Amino acid sequence: MSPKRKKRMTGARILYNVLMEEGVDVIFGYPGGANLPFYDVLCDSNIRHILVRHEQAAAHMADGYARASGRVGVCLATSGPGATNLVTGIATAYLDSSPIVAITGQVERRFIGTDAFQEVDIVGITIPITKHNQHIMTAGEIVPAVKTAFWLAKAGRPGPVLLDIPRDVLLEEAVYDPDVVVTLEGYNPIISGHSGQIKRAAKLLSGAKNPVIVAGGGVIRSGATDELIRLSQLLGAPVLTTLMGKSAVPPDYPYYLGMIGMHGTSRAMEAVKRADVIVAAGARFGDRAVLSYDAFEKMAKFIQIDIDPAEIEKTVEVDIPIVGDAGKILEELNNRLEKDHANDITAKPPPTGELERYEQTETMGIPAAIELLSKKNLDAVVTTDVGRHQIWAAKYYQSTGLDTGMFITSGGLGTMGFGLPASLGAKVARPDKRVILITGDGSFMMNIQELATSSHYDLPVLVLLMNDHHLGMIRQLQDAFYDAKYMACEFPENVDFVAAARAMGLDGRRVTSIDQLDDAIEEGLRSKHTFVVECLIDSQENIPYRTYED
Ligand SMILES: Cc1ncc(C[n+]2csc(CCOP(=O)(O)OP(=O)(O)O)c2C)c(N)n1
């Protein structure tokens, strides 16, 4: 069915046509009374629909799809509880700057404001967690609203947009005009950096003794890796990343020193402390990355590159702010350095020594399991959940098969339950790639129902489940800060995750020692379906936390 141009049709049909025009090939959704008119159109359409088992998962799938493909992910829910179930997924995408469009059904216009059945003000609820949201009150508004939504989701700093459409707007007729041009006066994201600031930055860097580069998620979103590496090589500057910046540079890049911050490597933190100039690209100096704002500010001169002017100096005083696209600015900065300062800079050789490695032991611990998987150097997209396993994965998953942007994690909101649906969204986006999920028993349970979605649509993911029968991160915090008084952090051994996978048409293997793990992973890699490798973790090894002083 190809979209018809300039004809009268229902709002639902208009919505379908404009989504087609925007190149949407898949929607992650769940039906209800308020969005059924749209499902009626989707019934025999060219847009693939993935029926999830919980709307939260639809939002995470759209997010995983967006991160793995660089395209806009789309999720769909009904009014009321369907819409509120999307909220955690929308907030997750917002905090990690992931472009998704969420479409919600709404009660009919005449009922709005009457506390009608399944009425909720989802536009009001999502104001602080969307880049933009909108009530669509007539069918004639659908085309400009959808075009605006897709443009805004991707323009400048990416993020989620929500469109709320009453049921009767989907049913009423209007003229479909696909040629409507949308312009947003006043919203013009700055792409190229200010040339004067770039000149100043080049001058500062050319005189720096120990420049370092911190790469955040913005480097990945902007595709700035090549220019970042070029800058690092021009200066001989170490590259450090934030959690969101992991996979911005290849793990075997000789100047790469790992992650900074609370869970960073010693070498990265030493490099930061030695630095006289720090270039932060697409990194927002979050509290977990910086550790001590006071100490951080005194350390070095800062050059901050960010597409979002709101991020400049939000937390750290900056000497040279440059607003714009990270890739574009780094390119301009590199050109400037080569043109004006070629004789002033001598690139330092790459730092010697190994990236922090985990010494593998016989114990079935999380880092040992992750290192074993990492050493296989698989060409894979890796997603994680939230907890100790996430941090171990960020530290020790250093596979050379990890492409830029293919480490997908909930860094900003820290959403347990993100991993499984995000991995399925990533698999939909990248069927050519193997997808691996590293998760914990707490997080996995939060969206475990999506194993049924994986089974239904045959979306294979290798799941490495670290079952320590604990909310390990909580246990660790109680260990460190509450005199080891453990409360509400232990789960009894009453869930057989392999059996749960089998109950949903999949398979898996439970392993109790590290020497069984390799076999189980290999079996999972051979499987054509999602395979759960449940590792019974016998240690309560804490992740290293560092303070600024460490
Ligand atoms: C939705 C949600 N609720 C609560 C938390 C707080 N929290 C952070 S980590 C964690 C424990 C995670 O446990 P698990 O998934 O088993 O991972 P582990 O730490 O054991 O590796 C909790 C409860 C959170 N991040 N997200």
Side-chain angles (χ1 to χ4, degrees), residues 144-408:
V146 171
K147 286 191 173 188
T148 304
F150 275 77
W151 187 71
L152 275 177
K154 282 211 75 175
R157 178 180 185 169
V161 177
L162 180 133
L163 299 175
D164 193 39
I165 316 180
R167 180 176 174 277
D168 56 329
V169 171
L170 292 171
L171 292 170
E172 82 174 2
E173 287 199 345
V175 172
Y176 168 59
D177 179 2
D179 303 321
V180 168
V181 177
V182 293
T183 47
L184 286 179
E185 274 175 41
Y187 184 75
N188 288 310
I190 299 165
I191 302 300
S192 290
H194 186 281
S195 60
Q197 295 294 78
I198 290 173
K199 255 189 185 168
R200 284 180 63 210
K203 183 147 189 270
L204 181 63
L205 282 170
S206 69
K209 289 196 171 49
N210 287 313
V212 304
I213 303 168
V214 176
V219 170
I220 293 169
R221 295 281 180 273
S222 130
T225 295
D226 289 351
E227 290 297 337
L228 187 109
I229 287 180
R230 190 175 148 214
L231 177 65
S232 148
Q233 286 175 340
L234 272 174
L235 302 169
V239 177
L240 326 171
T241 73
T242 62
L243 176 60
M244 287 308 294
K246 183 172 166 71
S247 80
V249 290
D252 55 353
Y253 176 55
Y255 288 92
Y256 169 62
L257 292 185
M259 212 162 60
I260 58 164
M262 188 182 278
H263 306 295
T265 64
S266 314
R267 300 179 74 210
M269 288 313 285
E270 279 157 21
V272 164
K273 287 181 186 174
R274 255 200 327 273
D276 55 350
V277 181
I278 296 177
V279 184
R284 59 192 172 92
F285 295 120
D287 50 337
R288 296 224 293 189
V290 168
L291 295 178
S292 161
Y293 286 117
D294 284 350
F296 212 69
E297 277 184 352
K298 287 185 201 118
M299 253 166 12
K301 298 254 181 231
F302 285 97
I303 300 168
Q304 185 181 9
I305 299 169
D306 207 290
I307 190 127
D308 185 354
E311 287 302 340
I312 300 288
E313 286 209 331
K314 192 155 93 180
T315 55
V316 172
E317 223 172 279
V318 171
D319 298 278
I320 306 181
I322 315 177
V323 175
D325 173 73
K328 194 95 187 70
I329 291 174
L330 288 170
E331 185 188 357
E332 289 162 6
L333 182 60
N334 289 330
N335 292 346
R336 186 52 59 199
L337 274 168
E338 280 178 346
K339 197 160 163 256
D340 296 351
H341 302 284
N343 299 328
D344 315 334
I345 41 180
T346 329
K348 276 178 261 316
T352 47
E354 274 241 300
L355 249 196
E356 207 169 67
R357 293 262 176 237
Y358 178 75
E359 285 310 317
Q360 206 170 306
T361 64
E362 296 303 302
T363 335
M364 183 63 141
I366 302 175
I370 287 171
E371 180 125 309
L372 195 152
L373 177 68
S374 173
K375 281 187 171 155
K376 292 186 180 294
N377 289 322
L378 299 164
D379 173 14
V381 181
V382 174
T383 63
T384 80
D385 260 301
V386 171
R388 291 186 315 164
H389 64 273
Q390 174 192 32
I391 304 303
W392 288 126
K395 284 171 82 70
Y396 296 125
Y397 194 85
Q398 299 294 357
S399 157
T400 52
L402 191 64
D403 283 345
T404 312
M406 293 301 129
F407 186 83
I408 295 178

Side-chain angles (χ1 to χ4, degrees), residues 386-389 414 416 440-443 446 468 470-474:
V386 171
R388 291 186 315 164
H389 64 273
M416 291 171 68
D441 52 320
S443 297
M446 284 213 174
D468 57 1
H470 276 86
L471 297 170
M473 183 72 107
I474 300 299

